[in-house]
Amino acid sequence: DGGITQSPKYLFRKEGQNVTLSCEQNLNHDAMYWYRQDPGQGLRLIYYSQIVNDFQKGDIAEGYSVSREKKESFPLTVTSAQKNPTAFYLCASSIAWTGEREQYFGPGTRLTVT
Amino acid sequence: AQSVAQPEDQVNVAEGNPLTVKCTYSVSGNPYLFWYVQYPNRGLQFLLKYITGDNLVKGSYGFEAEFNKSQTSFHLKKPSALVSDSALYFCAVRIKDRGSTLGRLYFGRGTQLTVWP
């Protein structure tokens, strides 16, 4: 997990509340990603960012928002519009968007909404 | 459509026996292929990758994988399994298209490997 921190590890929220998940990396990577993991479904891409001040929707962006104001930070907000927000959220980064570079993952945040 | 499949949800093997975790892919260009491992409530850890060259690639913790272009497969293998290898394994594919900036990863659903003593 080295180099990427996610906080908090566990997060509990009431339905209807927005919540922001933190992701910070000190690897000097340009690209950052947010994934959602549900049992038996693998990882699904929510948003990604190739460079600072730029980000793109992934496969399941509805109900989520992000910002990339600093190279090392890529926070994810889960809004009340997300119909089923309870999941394990993983942040990742890579040196570059293209090419053969692998992604490095943070330890994840488990969000429970009741 | 780009996709990657892991046909087995669960693989069980005895300690000391060889293990194989299967992965097949479907892409329109030349693929970059990756294997990751996830321990409970943790992030994914990179194991190995195939970019080009030798079809047999070696990675962390004694794992290796063989790229087979004709069968569009990239199976993960280890000659002798350990109990500590028990984890969730993900195969992923990235497209390598000339002139394209599209570099996202597509993940399989994961295979739970259990190694019993």
Side-chain angles (χ1 to χ4, degrees), chain A residues 1 9 37 40 42 59 88 90 97-103 105-107 110, chain B residues 32 36 38 41-44 46 49 51 90 94 101 103-105 108-109:
Chain A
D1 300 338
K9 188 173 179 64
Q37 185 178 15
D59 298 323
F88 190 51
L90 289 162
W97 170 246
T98 60
E100 69 271 22
R101 301 293 189 173
E102 61 270 22
Q103 293 181 11
F105 284 80
R110 187 167 297 281
Chain B
Y32 292 149
Y36 288 84
Q38 184 181 35
N41 295 311
R42 301 290 298 276
L44 275 66
F46 169 73
K49 64 185 177 185
I51 304 302
F90 289 98
R94 170 176 279 163
T101 60
R104 60 161 294 175
L105 281 179
R109 294 192 170 194

PDB file of all heavy atoms in Angstrom, chain A residues 1 9 37 40 42 59 88 90 97-103 105-107 110, chain B residues 32 36 38 41-44 46 49 51 90 94 101 103-105 108-109:
ATOM      1  N   ASP A   1       0.827  -1.215   0.000  1.00  0.00           N
ATOM      2  CA  ASP A   1       0.000   0.000   0.000  1.00  0.00           C
ATOM      3  C   ASP A   1       0.855   1.256   0.000  1.00  0.00           C
ATOM      4  O   ASP A   1       0.327   2.358  -0.038  1.00  0.00           O
ATOM      5  CB  ASP A   1      -0.890   0.031   1.242  1.00  0.00           C
ATOM      6  CG  ASP A   1      -1.814  -1.164   1.316  1.00  0.00           C
ATOM      7  OD1 ASP A   1      -2.066  -1.769   0.269  1.00  0.00           O
ATOM      8  OD2 ASP A   1      -2.261  -1.496   2.411  1.00  0.00           O
ATOM      9  N   LYS A   9     -10.422   4.578   7.233  1.00  0.00           N
ATOM     10  CA  LYS A   9     -10.485   3.182   6.810  1.00  0.00           C
ATOM     11  C   LYS A   9     -11.933   2.692   6.789  1.00  0.00           C
ATOM     12  O   LYS A   9     -12.343   1.943   5.925  1.00  0.00           O
ATOM     13  CB  LYS A   9      -9.656   2.308   7.741  1.00  0.00           C
ATOM     14  CG  LYS A   9      -9.498   0.870   7.274  1.00  0.00           C
ATOM     15  CD  LYS A   9      -8.518   0.126   8.158  1.00  0.00           C
ATOM     16  CE  LYS A   9      -8.370  -1.336   7.706  1.00  0.00           C
ATOM     17  NZ  LYS A   9      -7.793  -1.426   6.357  1.00  0.00           N
ATOM     18  N   GLN A  37     -15.399  -1.390  -5.317  1.00  0.00           N
ATOM     19  CA  GLN A  37     -15.351  -2.849  -5.285  1.00  0.00           C
ATOM     20  C   GLN A  37     -16.552  -3.390  -4.527  1.00  0.00           C
ATOM     21  O   GLN A  37     -16.794  -3.023  -3.373  1.00  0.00           O
ATOM     22  CB  GLN A  37     -14.059  -3.339  -4.626  1.00  0.00           C
ATOM     23  CG  GLN A  37     -13.905  -4.853  -4.667  1.00  0.00           C
ATOM     24  CD  GLN A  37     -12.600  -5.333  -4.057  1.00  0.00           C
ATOM     25  OE1 GLN A  37     -11.907  -4.594  -3.355  1.00  0.00           O
ATOM     26  NE2 GLN A  37     -12.249  -6.586  -4.317  1.00  0.00           N
ATOM     27  N   GLY A  40     -17.825 -10.056  -5.718  1.00  0.00           N
ATOM     28  CA  GLY A  40     -18.129 -10.779  -6.950  1.00  0.00           C
ATOM     29  C   GLY A  40     -18.183  -9.927  -8.210  1.00  0.00           C
ATOM     30  O   GLY A  40     -18.495 -10.440  -9.288  1.00  0.00           O
ATOM     31  N   GLY A  42     -15.585  -7.521  -9.010  1.00  0.00           N
ATOM     32  CA  GLY A  42     -14.302  -6.947  -9.376  1.00  0.00           C
ATOM     33  C   GLY A  42     -14.254  -5.468  -9.066  1.00  0.00           C
ATOM     34  O   GLY A  42     -14.970  -4.965  -8.196  1.00  0.00           O
ATOM     35  N   ASP A  59     -16.793   4.269 -15.633  1.00  0.00           N
ATOM     36  CA  ASP A  59     -17.984   3.503 -15.997  1.00  0.00           C
ATOM     37  C   ASP A  59     -19.189   3.760 -15.094  1.00  0.00           C
ATOM     38  O   ASP A  59     -20.326   3.553 -15.497  1.00  0.00           O
ATOM     39  CB  ASP A  59     -17.660   2.015 -15.954  1.00  0.00           C
ATOM     40  CG  ASP A  59     -16.578   1.649 -16.952  1.00  0.00           C
ATOM     41  OD1 ASP A  59     -16.562   2.230 -18.053  1.00  0.00           O
ATOM     42  OD2 ASP A  59     -15.746   0.779 -16.631  1.00  0.00           O
ATOM     43  N   PHE A  88     -16.689  -0.893  -0.904  1.00  0.00           N
ATOM     44  CA  PHE A  88     -15.275  -0.694  -0.584  1.00  0.00           C
ATOM     45  C   PHE A  88     -14.691   0.160  -1.700  1.00  0.00           C
ATOM     46  O   PHE A  88     -14.801  -0.195  -2.870  1.00  0.00           O
ATOM     47  CB  PHE A  88     -14.584  -2.058  -0.499  1.00  0.00           C
ATOM     48  CG  PHE A  88     -13.194  -2.022   0.047  1.00  0.00           C
ATOM     49  CD1 PHE A  88     -12.905  -1.383   1.233  1.00  0.00           C
ATOM     50  CD2 PHE A  88     -12.157  -2.673  -0.615  1.00  0.00           C
ATOM     51  CE1 PHE A  88     -11.620  -1.375   1.759  1.00  0.00           C
ATOM     52  CE2 PHE A  88     -10.859  -2.671  -0.101  1.00  0.00           C
ATOM     53  CZ  PHE A  88     -10.593  -2.020   1.081  1.00  0.00           C
ATOM     54  N   LEU A  90     -11.505   2.104  -3.517  1.00  0.00           N
ATOM     55  CA  LEU A  90     -10.058   2.034  -3.674  1.00  0.00           C
ATOM     56  C   LEU A  90      -9.558   3.167  -4.552  1.00  0.00           C
ATOM     57  O   LEU A  90     -10.100   3.422  -5.626  1.00  0.00           O
ATOM     58  CB  LEU A  90      -9.654   0.699  -4.306  1.00  0.00           C
ATOM     59  CG  LEU A  90      -9.806  -0.528  -3.408  1.00  0.00           C
ATOM     60  CD1 LEU A  90      -9.805  -1.799  -4.233  1.00  0.00           C
ATOM     61  CD2 LEU A  90      -8.681  -0.565  -2.388  1.00  0.00           C
ATOM     62  N   TRP A  97      -0.544   7.948 -17.532  1.00  0.00           N
ATOM     63  CA  TRP A  97      -1.828   7.405 -17.948  1.00  0.00           C
ATOM     64  C   TRP A  97      -1.641   6.302 -18.979  1.00  0.00           C
ATOM     65  O   TRP A  97      -2.342   5.313 -18.989  1.00  0.00           O
ATOM     66  CB  TRP A  97      -2.678   8.530 -18.509  1.00  0.00           C
ATOM     67  CG  TRP A  97      -3.926   8.104 -19.186  1.00  0.00           C
ATOM     68  CD1 TRP A  97      -4.233   8.218 -20.500  1.00  0.00           C
ATOM     69  CD2 TRP A  97      -5.061   7.477 -18.576  1.00  0.00           C
ATOM     70  NE1 TRP A  97      -5.481   7.728 -20.752  1.00  0.00           N
ATOM     71  CE2 TRP A  97      -6.006   7.263 -19.596  1.00  0.00           C
ATOM     72  CE3 TRP A  97      -5.371   7.076 -17.279  1.00  0.00           C
ATOM     73  CZ2 TRP A  97      -7.252   6.672 -19.357  1.00  0.00           C
ATOM     74  CZ3 TRP A  97      -6.604   6.483 -17.045  1.00  0.00           C
ATOM     75  CH2 TRP A  97      -7.518   6.291 -18.063  1.00  0.00           C
ATOM     76  N   THR A  98      -0.691   6.460 -19.838  1.00  0.00           N
ATOM     77  CA  THR A  98      -0.493   5.500 -20.915  1.00  0.00           C
ATOM     78  C   THR A  98       0.668   4.573 -20.595  1.00  0.00           C
ATOM     79  O   THR A  98       1.337   4.702 -19.584  1.00  0.00           O
ATOM     80  CB  THR A  98      -0.177   6.225 -22.237  1.00  0.00           C
ATOM     81  OG1 THR A  98       1.022   6.984 -22.060  1.00  0.00           O
ATOM     82  CG2 THR A  98      -1.298   7.158 -22.605  1.00  0.00           C
ATOM     83  N   GLY A  99       0.859   3.612 -21.463  1.00  0.00           N
ATOM     84  CA  GLY A  99       2.040   2.787 -21.334  1.00  0.00           C
ATOM     85  C   GLY A  99       1.877   1.596 -20.437  1.00  0.00           C
ATOM     86  O   GLY A  99       0.781   1.213 -20.062  1.00  0.00           O
ATOM     87  N   GLU A 100       2.982   1.036 -20.060  1.00  0.00           N
ATOM     88  CA  GLU A 100       2.995  -0.232 -19.358  1.00  0.00           C
ATOM     89  C   GLU A 100       3.087  -0.093 -17.848  1.00  0.00           C
ATOM     90  O   GLU A 100       3.285  -1.072 -17.142  1.00  0.00           O
ATOM     91  CB  GLU A 100       4.175  -1.065 -19.848  1.00  0.00           C
ATOM     92  CG  GLU A 100       5.539  -0.527 -19.437  1.00  0.00           C
ATOM     93  CD  GLU A 100       6.104   0.469 -20.427  1.00  0.00           C
ATOM     94  OE1 GLU A 100       5.311   1.062 -21.187  1.00  0.00           O
ATOM     95  OE2 GLU A 100       7.326   0.661 -20.445  1.00  0.00           O
ATOM     96  N   ARG A 101       2.885   1.104 -17.349  1.00  0.00           N
ATOM     97  CA  ARG A 101       3.047   1.311 -15.915  1.00  0.00           C
ATOM     98  C   ARG A 101       1.906   0.717 -15.112  1.00  0.00           C
ATOM     99  O   ARG A 101       0.748   0.915 -15.431  1.00  0.00           O
ATOM    100  CB  ARG A 101       3.128   2.809 -15.627  1.00  0.00           C
ATOM    101  CG  ARG A 101       4.271   3.502 -16.336  1.00  0.00           C
ATOM    102  CD  ARG A 101       5.591   3.039 -15.798  1.00  0.00           C
ATOM    103  NE  ARG A 101       6.694   3.844 -16.332  1.00  0.00           N
ATOM    104  CZ  ARG A 101       7.946   3.749 -15.936  1.00  0.00           C
ATOM    105  NH1 ARG A 101       8.263   2.870 -15.001  1.00  0.00           N
ATOM    106  NH2 ARG A 101       8.874   4.525 -16.468  1.00  0.00           N
ATOM    107  N   GLU A 102       2.253   0.012 -14.042  1.00  0.00           N
ATOM    108  CA  GLU A 102       1.232  -0.550 -13.185  1.00  0.00           C
ATOM    109  C   GLU A 102       0.655   0.524 -12.265  1.00  0.00           C
ATOM    110  O   GLU A 102       1.262   1.574 -12.057  1.00  0.00           O
ATOM    111  CB  GLU A 102       1.803  -1.697 -12.346  1.00  0.00           C
ATOM    112  CG  GLU A 102       2.931  -1.310 -11.416  1.00  0.00           C
ATOM    113  CD  GLU A 102       4.288  -1.444 -12.089  1.00  0.00           C
ATOM    114  OE1 GLU A 102       4.358  -1.418 -13.344  1.00  0.00           O
ATOM    115  OE2 GLU A 102       5.278  -1.581 -11.356  1.00  0.00           O
ATOM    116  N   GLN A 103      -0.509   0.237 -11.726  1.00  0.00           N
ATOM    117  CA  GLN A 103      -1.140   1.129 -10.774  1.00  0.00           C
ATOM    118  C   GLN A 103      -0.799   0.684  -9.354  1.00  0.00           C
ATOM    119  O   GLN A 103      -0.706  -0.509  -9.064  1.00  0.00           O
ATOM    120  CB  GLN A 103      -2.656   1.138 -10.977  1.00  0.00           C
ATOM    121  CG  GLN A 103      -3.068   1.756 -12.306  1.00  0.00           C
ATOM    122  CD  GLN A 103      -4.560   1.787 -12.508  1.00  0.00           C
ATOM    123  OE1 GLN A 103      -5.345   1.533 -11.591  1.00  0.00           O
ATOM    124  NE2 GLN A 103      -4.980   2.106 -13.721  1.00  0.00           N
ATOM    125  N   PHE A 105      -2.078   0.911  -5.407  1.00  0.00           N
ATOM    126  CA  PHE A 105      -3.351   1.080  -4.723  1.00  0.00           C
ATOM    127  C   PHE A 105      -3.182   1.488  -3.272  1.00  0.00           C
ATOM    128  O   PHE A 105      -2.227   1.076  -2.598  1.00  0.00           O
ATOM    129  CB  PHE A 105      -4.164  -0.225  -4.782  1.00  0.00           C
ATOM    130  CG  PHE A 105      -4.794  -0.477  -6.108  1.00  0.00           C
ATOM    131  CD1 PHE A 105      -4.051  -1.000  -7.158  1.00  0.00           C
ATOM    132  CD2 PHE A 105      -6.129  -0.164  -6.325  1.00  0.00           C
ATOM    133  CE1 PHE A 105      -4.625  -1.222  -8.395  1.00  0.00           C
ATOM    134  CE2 PHE A 105      -6.714  -0.386  -7.559  1.00  0.00           C
ATOM    135  CZ  PHE A 105      -5.967  -0.906  -8.591  1.00  0.00           C
ATOM    136  N   GLY A 106      -4.139   2.283  -2.791  1.00  0.00           N
ATOM    137  CA  GLY A 106      -4.219   2.578  -1.379  1.00  0.00           C
ATOM    138  C   GLY A 106      -4.899   1.445  -0.635  1.00  0.00           C
ATOM    139  O   GLY A 106      -5.353   0.471  -1.241  1.00  0.00           O
ATOM    140  N   PRO A 107      -4.998   1.563   0.695  1.00  0.00           N
ATOM    141  CA  PRO A 107      -5.572   0.488   1.513  1.00  0.00           C
ATOM    142  C   PRO A 107      -7.087   0.406   1.464  1.00  0.00           C
ATOM    143  O   PRO A 107      -7.669  -0.579   1.931  1.00  0.00           O
ATOM    144  CB  PRO A 107      -5.099   0.827   2.917  1.00  0.00           C
ATOM    145  CG  PRO A 107      -4.922   2.309   2.896  1.00  0.00           C
ATOM    146  CD  PRO A 107      -4.450   2.640   1.510  1.00  0.00           C
ATOM    147  N   ARG A 110     -13.871   1.582   3.540  1.00  0.00           N
ATOM    148  CA  ARG A 110     -15.155   0.852   3.510  1.00  0.00           C
ATOM    149  C   ARG A 110     -16.245   1.793   3.987  1.00  0.00           C
ATOM    150  O   ARG A 110     -16.267   2.201   5.151  1.00  0.00           O
ATOM    151  CB  ARG A 110     -15.090  -0.400   4.373  1.00  0.00           C
ATOM    152  CG  ARG A 110     -16.334  -1.278   4.233  1.00  0.00           C
ATOM    153  CD  ARG A 110     -16.139  -2.650   4.834  1.00  0.00           C
ATOM    154  NE  ARG A 110     -15.090  -3.423   4.179  1.00  0.00           N
ATOM    155  CZ  ARG A 110     -15.226  -4.069   3.036  1.00  0.00           C
ATOM    156  NH1 ARG A 110     -16.378  -4.029   2.379  1.00  0.00           N
ATOM    157  NH2 ARG A 110     -14.213  -4.761   2.537  1.00  0.00           N
TER     158      ARG A 110
ATOM    159  N   TYR B  32      -1.634  -5.004 -22.727  1.00  0.00           N
ATOM    160  CA  TYR B  32      -0.755  -5.097 -21.574  1.00  0.00           C
ATOM    161  C   TYR B  32      -1.554  -5.871 -20.518  1.00  0.00           C
ATOM    162  O   TYR B  32      -2.719  -5.540 -20.274  1.00  0.00           O
ATOM    163  CB  TYR B  32      -0.400  -3.731 -20.992  1.00  0.00           C
ATOM    164  CG  TYR B  32       0.467  -2.859 -21.854  1.00  0.00           C
ATOM    165  CD1 TYR B  32       0.349  -1.481 -21.797  1.00  0.00           C
ATOM    166  CD2 TYR B  32       1.418  -3.391 -22.715  1.00  0.00           C
ATOM    167  CE1 TYR B  32       1.146  -0.648 -22.563  1.00  0.00           C
ATOM    168  CE2 TYR B  32       2.217  -2.571 -23.489  1.00  0.00           C
ATOM    169  CZ  TYR B  32       2.076  -1.200 -23.412  1.00  0.00           C
ATOM    170  OH  TYR B  32       2.867  -0.383 -24.172  1.00  0.00           O
ATOM    171  N   TYR B  36      -2.865  -8.805 -10.030  1.00  0.00           N
ATOM    172  CA  TYR B  36      -2.814  -8.183  -8.718  1.00  0.00           C
ATOM    173  C   TYR B  36      -3.343  -9.175  -7.680  1.00  0.00           C
ATOM    174  O   TYR B  36      -4.148 -10.046  -7.994  1.00  0.00           O
ATOM    175  CB  TYR B  36      -3.693  -6.937  -8.663  1.00  0.00           C
ATOM    176  CG  TYR B  36      -3.167  -5.745  -9.425  1.00  0.00           C
ATOM    177  CD1 TYR B  36      -3.393  -5.609 -10.788  1.00  0.00           C
ATOM    178  CD2 TYR B  36      -2.451  -4.744  -8.775  1.00  0.00           C
ATOM    179  CE1 TYR B  36      -2.921  -4.512 -11.486  1.00  0.00           C
ATOM    180  CE2 TYR B  36      -1.967  -3.641  -9.455  1.00  0.00           C
ATOM    181  CZ  TYR B  36      -2.216  -3.533 -10.817  1.00  0.00           C
ATOM    182  OH  TYR B  36      -1.740  -2.441 -11.492  1.00  0.00           O
ATOM    183  N   GLN B  38      -5.081  -9.332  -3.622  1.00  0.00           N
ATOM    184  CA  GLN B  38      -5.711  -8.547  -2.558  1.00  0.00           C
ATOM    185  C   GLN B  38      -5.932  -9.421  -1.338  1.00  0.00           C
ATOM    186  O   GLN B  38      -6.602 -10.458  -1.416  1.00  0.00           O
ATOM    187  CB  GLN B  38      -7.043  -7.968  -3.032  1.00  0.00           C
ATOM    188  CG  GLN B  38      -7.712  -7.064  -2.002  1.00  0.00           C
ATOM    189  CD  GLN B  38      -9.037  -6.528  -2.485  1.00  0.00           C
ATOM    190  OE1 GLN B  38      -9.775  -7.198  -3.194  1.00  0.00           O
ATOM    191  NE2 GLN B  38      -9.354  -5.300  -2.096  1.00  0.00           N
ATOM    192  N   ASN B  41      -9.645  -6.861   3.263  1.00  0.00           N
ATOM    193  CA  ASN B  41      -9.746  -5.466   3.690  1.00  0.00           C
ATOM    194  C   ASN B  41      -8.488  -4.653   3.398  1.00  0.00           C
ATOM    195  O   ASN B  41      -8.161  -3.722   4.136  1.00  0.00           O
ATOM    196  CB  ASN B  41     -10.081  -5.392   5.187  1.00  0.00           C
ATOM    197  CG  ASN B  41     -11.452  -5.961   5.474  1.00  0.00           C
ATOM    198  OD1 ASN B  41     -12.420  -5.613   4.819  1.00  0.00           O
ATOM    199  ND2 ASN B  41     -11.526  -6.873   6.417  1.00  0.00           N
ATOM    200  N   ARG B  42      -7.808  -5.003   2.330  1.00  0.00           N
ATOM    201  CA  ARG B  42      -6.611  -4.280   1.929  1.00  0.00           C
ATOM    202  C   ARG B  42      -6.730  -3.839   0.475  1.00  0.00           C
ATOM    203  O   ARG B  42      -7.613  -4.278  -0.274  1.00  0.00           O
ATOM    204  CB  ARG B  42      -5.375  -5.184   2.077  1.00  0.00           C
ATOM    205  CG  ARG B  42      -5.124  -5.702   3.468  1.00  0.00           C
ATOM    206  CD  ARG B  42      -4.663  -4.600   4.407  1.00  0.00           C
ATOM    207  NE  ARG B  42      -3.420  -4.001   3.993  1.00  0.00           N
ATOM    208  CZ  ARG B  42      -2.216  -4.496   4.279  1.00  0.00           C
ATOM    209  NH1 ARG B  42      -2.109  -5.615   4.970  1.00  0.00           N
ATOM    210  NH2 ARG B  42      -1.128  -3.868   3.885  1.00  0.00           N
ATOM    211  N   GLY B  43      -5.832  -2.974   0.060  1.00  0.00           N
ATOM    212  CA  GLY B  43      -5.766  -2.593  -1.337  1.00  0.00           C
ATOM    213  C   GLY B  43      -5.116  -3.684  -2.171  1.00  0.00           C
ATOM    214  O   GLY B  43      -4.679  -4.705  -1.648  1.00  0.00           O
ATOM    215  N   LEU B  44      -5.075  -3.467  -3.467  1.00  0.00           N
ATOM    216  CA  LEU B  44      -4.468  -4.441  -4.368  1.00  0.00           C
ATOM    217  C   LEU B  44      -2.956  -4.244  -4.428  1.00  0.00           C
ATOM    218  O   LEU B  44      -2.457  -3.120  -4.391  1.00  0.00           O
ATOM    219  CB  LEU B  44      -5.034  -4.284  -5.786  1.00  0.00           C
ATOM    220  CG  LEU B  44      -6.341  -5.003  -6.082  1.00  0.00           C
ATOM    221  CD1 LEU B  44      -7.485  -4.431  -5.273  1.00  0.00           C
ATOM    222  CD2 LEU B  44      -6.648  -4.946  -7.577  1.00  0.00           C
ATOM    223  N   PHE B  46       0.446  -5.199  -6.744  1.00  0.00           N
ATOM    224  CA  PHE B  46       0.901  -5.624  -8.057  1.00  0.00           C
ATOM    225  C   PHE B  46       1.778  -6.869  -7.940  1.00  0.00           C
ATOM    226  O   PHE B  46       2.658  -6.943  -7.073  1.00  0.00           O
ATOM    227  CB  PHE B  46       1.690  -4.483  -8.690  1.00  0.00           C
ATOM    228  CG  PHE B  46       2.452  -4.849  -9.927  1.00  0.00           C
ATOM    229  CD1 PHE B  46       1.793  -5.072 -11.120  1.00  0.00           C
ATOM    230  CD2 PHE B  46       3.826  -4.981  -9.890  1.00  0.00           C
ATOM    231  CE1 PHE B  46       2.494  -5.410 -12.255  1.00  0.00           C
ATOM    232  CE2 PHE B  46       4.541  -5.318 -11.020  1.00  0.00           C
ATOM    233  CZ  PHE B  46       3.879  -5.530 -12.212  1.00  0.00           C
ATOM    234  N   LYS B  49       3.468  -8.368 -14.695  1.00  0.00           N
ATOM    235  CA  LYS B  49       2.840  -7.835 -15.907  1.00  0.00           C
ATOM    236  C   LYS B  49       3.516  -8.388 -17.145  1.00  0.00           C
ATOM    237  O   LYS B  49       4.699  -8.761 -17.113  1.00  0.00           O
ATOM    238  CB  LYS B  49       2.908  -6.314 -15.910  1.00  0.00           C
ATOM    239  CG  LYS B  49       4.328  -5.755 -15.972  1.00  0.00           C
ATOM    240  CD  LYS B  49       4.326  -4.232 -15.859  1.00  0.00           C
ATOM    241  CE  LYS B  49       5.751  -3.681 -15.859  1.00  0.00           C
ATOM    242  NZ  LYS B  49       5.761  -2.206 -15.634  1.00  0.00           N
ATOM    243  N   ILE B  51       4.219  -7.087 -21.003  1.00  0.00           N
ATOM    244  CA  ILE B  51       4.158  -5.952 -21.922  1.00  0.00           C
ATOM    245  C   ILE B  51       4.547  -6.410 -23.322  1.00  0.00           C
ATOM    246  O   ILE B  51       3.810  -6.213 -24.292  1.00  0.00           O
ATOM    247  CB  ILE B  51       5.086  -4.818 -21.456  1.00  0.00           C
ATOM    248  CG1 ILE B  51       4.730  -4.408 -20.029  1.00  0.00           C
ATOM    249  CG2 ILE B  51       5.005  -3.632 -22.416  1.00  0.00           C
ATOM    250  CD1 ILE B  51       3.306  -3.953 -19.842  1.00  0.00           C
ATOM    251  N   PHE B  90      -6.695 -10.807  -8.978  1.00  0.00           N
ATOM    252  CA  PHE B  90      -7.338 -10.100 -10.080  1.00  0.00           C
ATOM    253  C   PHE B  90      -6.421 -10.047 -11.293  1.00  0.00           C
ATOM    254  O   PHE B  90      -5.244  -9.696 -11.184  1.00  0.00           O
ATOM    255  CB  PHE B  90      -7.680  -8.661  -9.691  1.00  0.00           C
ATOM    256  CG  PHE B  90      -8.799  -8.536  -8.710  1.00  0.00           C
ATOM    257  CD1 PHE B  90      -8.541  -8.375  -7.364  1.00  0.00           C
ATOM    258  CD2 PHE B  90     -10.116  -8.565  -9.140  1.00  0.00           C
ATOM    259  CE1 PHE B  90      -9.571  -8.252  -6.449  1.00  0.00           C
ATOM    260  CE2 PHE B  90     -11.165  -8.440  -8.237  1.00  0.00           C
ATOM    261  CZ  PHE B  90     -10.881  -8.284  -6.892  1.00  0.00           C
ATOM    262  N   ARG B  94      -4.810  -3.795 -20.090  1.00  0.00           N
ATOM    263  CA  ARG B  94      -4.769  -2.425 -20.585  1.00  0.00           C
ATOM    264  C   ARG B  94      -4.521  -2.481 -22.080  1.00  0.00           C
ATOM    265  O   ARG B  94      -3.719  -3.281 -22.538  1.00  0.00           O
ATOM    266  CB  ARG B  94      -3.683  -1.617 -19.899  1.00  0.00           C
ATOM    267  CG  ARG B  94      -3.419  -0.255 -20.543  1.00  0.00           C
ATOM    268  CD  ARG B  94      -2.406   0.525 -19.748  1.00  0.00           C
ATOM    269  NE  ARG B  94      -3.006   1.170 -18.595  1.00  0.00           N
ATOM    270  CZ  ARG B  94      -2.323   1.640 -17.561  1.00  0.00           C
ATOM    271  NH1 ARG B  94      -1.019   1.520 -17.533  1.00  0.00           N
ATOM    272  NH2 ARG B  94      -2.953   2.216 -16.559  1.00  0.00           N
ATOM    273  N   THR B 101      -4.415   7.442 -26.515  1.00  0.00           N
ATOM    274  CA  THR B 101      -4.044   7.767 -25.137  1.00  0.00           C
ATOM    275  C   THR B 101      -4.875   6.972 -24.138  1.00  0.00           C
ATOM    276  O   THR B 101      -4.777   7.173 -22.949  1.00  0.00           O
ATOM    277  CB  THR B 101      -4.234   9.259 -24.858  1.00  0.00           C
ATOM    278  OG1 THR B 101      -5.609   9.590 -25.055  1.00  0.00           O
ATOM    279  CG2 THR B 101      -3.371  10.093 -25.774  1.00  0.00           C
ATOM    280  N   GLY B 103      -5.566   4.450 -21.744  1.00  0.00           N
ATOM    281  CA  GLY B 103      -4.723   3.515 -21.016  1.00  0.00           C
ATOM    282  C   GLY B 103      -5.375   2.932 -19.787  1.00  0.00           C
ATOM    283  O   GLY B 103      -4.709   2.470 -18.893  1.00  0.00           O
ATOM    284  N   ARG B 104      -6.664   2.895 -19.729  1.00  0.00           N
ATOM    285  CA  ARG B 104      -7.337   2.425 -18.533  1.00  0.00           C
ATOM    286  C   ARG B 104      -7.205   0.918 -18.394  1.00  0.00           C
ATOM    287  O   ARG B 104      -7.001   0.203 -19.369  1.00  0.00           O
ATOM    288  CB  ARG B 104      -8.806   2.819 -18.561  1.00  0.00           C
ATOM    289  CG  ARG B 104      -9.575   2.257 -19.738  1.00  0.00           C
ATOM    290  CD  ARG B 104     -11.059   2.287 -19.474  1.00  0.00           C
ATOM    291  NE  ARG B 104     -11.390   1.384 -18.370  1.00  0.00           N
ATOM    292  CZ  ARG B 104     -12.594   1.264 -17.850  1.00  0.00           C
ATOM    293  NH1 ARG B 104     -13.581   2.005 -18.321  1.00  0.00           N
ATOM    294  NH2 ARG B 104     -12.833   0.424 -16.865  1.00  0.00           N
ATOM    295  N   LEU B 105      -7.334   0.449 -17.184  1.00  0.00           N
ATOM    296  CA  LEU B 105      -7.295  -0.971 -16.875  1.00  0.00           C
ATOM    297  C   LEU B 105      -8.713  -1.528 -16.808  1.00  0.00           C
ATOM    298  O   LEU B 105      -9.612  -0.880 -16.284  1.00  0.00           O
ATOM    299  CB  LEU B 105      -6.613  -1.218 -15.530  1.00  0.00           C
ATOM    300  CG  LEU B 105      -5.087  -1.191 -15.473  1.00  0.00           C
ATOM    301  CD1 LEU B 105      -4.627  -1.432 -14.049  1.00  0.00           C
ATOM    302  CD2 LEU B 105      -4.478  -2.221 -16.394  1.00  0.00           C
ATOM    303  N   GLY B 108     -10.817  -8.227 -14.134  1.00  0.00           N
ATOM    304  CA  GLY B 108     -11.699  -9.363 -13.995  1.00  0.00           C
ATOM    305  C   GLY B 108     -12.415  -9.310 -12.665  1.00  0.00           C
ATOM    306  O   GLY B 108     -12.167  -8.426 -11.838  1.00  0.00           O
ATOM    307  N   ARG B 109     -13.296 -10.274 -12.435  1.00  0.00           N
ATOM    308  CA  ARG B 109     -14.097 -10.275 -11.212  1.00  0.00           C
ATOM    309  C   ARG B 109     -13.349 -10.827 -10.012  1.00  0.00           C
ATOM    310  O   ARG B 109     -13.821 -10.737  -8.889  1.00  0.00           O
ATOM    311  CB  ARG B 109     -15.376 -11.068 -11.424  1.00  0.00           C
ATOM    312  CG  ARG B 109     -16.308 -10.440 -12.412  1.00  0.00           C
ATOM    313  CD  ARG B 109     -17.672 -11.088 -12.368  1.00  0.00           C
ATOM    314  NE  ARG B 109     -18.642 -10.340 -13.147  1.00  0.00           N
ATOM    315  CZ  ARG B 109     -19.936 -10.496 -13.098  1.00  0.00           C
ATOM    316  NH1 ARG B 109     -20.452 -11.392 -12.276  1.00  0.00           N
ATOM    317  NH2 ARG B 109     -20.748  -9.783 -13.840  1.00  0.00           N
TER     318      ARG B 109
END
